[in-house]
Amino acid sequence: MEIIHLLQAGVTRPHLDPVAGATWMAMVYDSARALHGVVTTSVDEPTVGRNHYRVGVRLRDAKPLSILFNAAVLLVAAAEQQDPHMINAVLVDVPDGDIYHRAGLRVATRAELNQPLHERHLHLLTEEERRDVAYHQPSRLGDLLFNWFD
């Protein structure tokens, strides 16, 4: 399934899902171990101003990364770690994405997330979500699926 099809009502809102969140976090640990890395931060849960879970990892001989999870659509992504208040993430491919697939989670690639966002992508969002998009003006699909809307 293309991630464009994940643009549905509620996808831009903070969505807490303890079961899906625990599954994602278990896979973060499995992936870190498989890649000889470590989890370096505690989990930040979705809240006002961020619609996704986020945790920091450092893989052997690699830059620190944030592993992101949008529980509304069970979507995993990765970004270079940066100041948590920065809004435009540098999105990257998820290391060892197959681990997340085996747990039933979707994995977004950097190329998918960097696709330009167009008005035609927004038709299934709620009116309130479309107003947020008009106000915040995210330019990429990834900025909508892993957003900073307040």
Side-chain angles (χ1 to χ4, degrees):
M1 169 187 293
E2 290 185 43
I3 65 171
I4 292 282
H5 300 296
L6 300 179
L7 296 178
Q8 58 191 4
V11 72
T12 71
R13 297 281 169 237
H15 182 79
L16 287 169
D17 184 327
V19 174
T23 299
W24 163 74
M25 197 61 225
M27 297 307 99
V28 169
Y29 277 101
D30 283 355
S31 176
R33 275 191 299 274
L35 297 169
H36 306 288
V38 294
V39 174
T40 58
T41 69
S42 58
V43 174
D44 293 323
E45 293 184 336
T47 186
V48 173
R50 188 183 60 259
N51 74 327
H52 56 278
Y53 292 81
R54 174 179 61 202
V55 69
V57 299
R58 180 182 293 276
L59 306 178
R60 191 170 107 198
D61 301 327
K63 285 183 174 181
L65 297 176
S66 292
I67 306 300
L68 314 174
F69 180 58
N70 182 323
V73 289
L74 303 176
L75 185 66
V76 179
E80 291 181 6
Q81 253 185 23
Q82 60 190 33
D83 180 320
H85 304 307
M86 298 283 293
I87 58 173
N88 289 329
V90 177
L91 300 165
V92 299
D93 289 324
V94 176
D96 204 6
D98 287 342
I99 284 179
Y100 299 94
H101 282 295
R102 283 180 283 204
L105 305 176
R106 295 179 179 102
V107 177
T109 66
R110 178 183 63 149
E112 290 173 314
L113 294 171
N114 282 326
Q115 292 178 66
L117 188 60
H118 299 289
E119 186 67 32
R120 70 179 182 273
H121 296 139
L122 308 178
H123 72 280
L124 294 178
L125 301 183
T126 66
E127 182 62 33
E128 183 179 357
E129 287 175 299
R130 287 193 298 275
R131 279 194 303 270
D132 281 342
V133 169
Y135 179 79
H136 292 284
Q137 299 182 351
S139 61
R140 306 173 295 176
L141 188 54
D143 295 330
L144 183 66
L145 291 166
F146 298 94
N147 72 56
W148 63 93
F149 301 169
D150 51 6

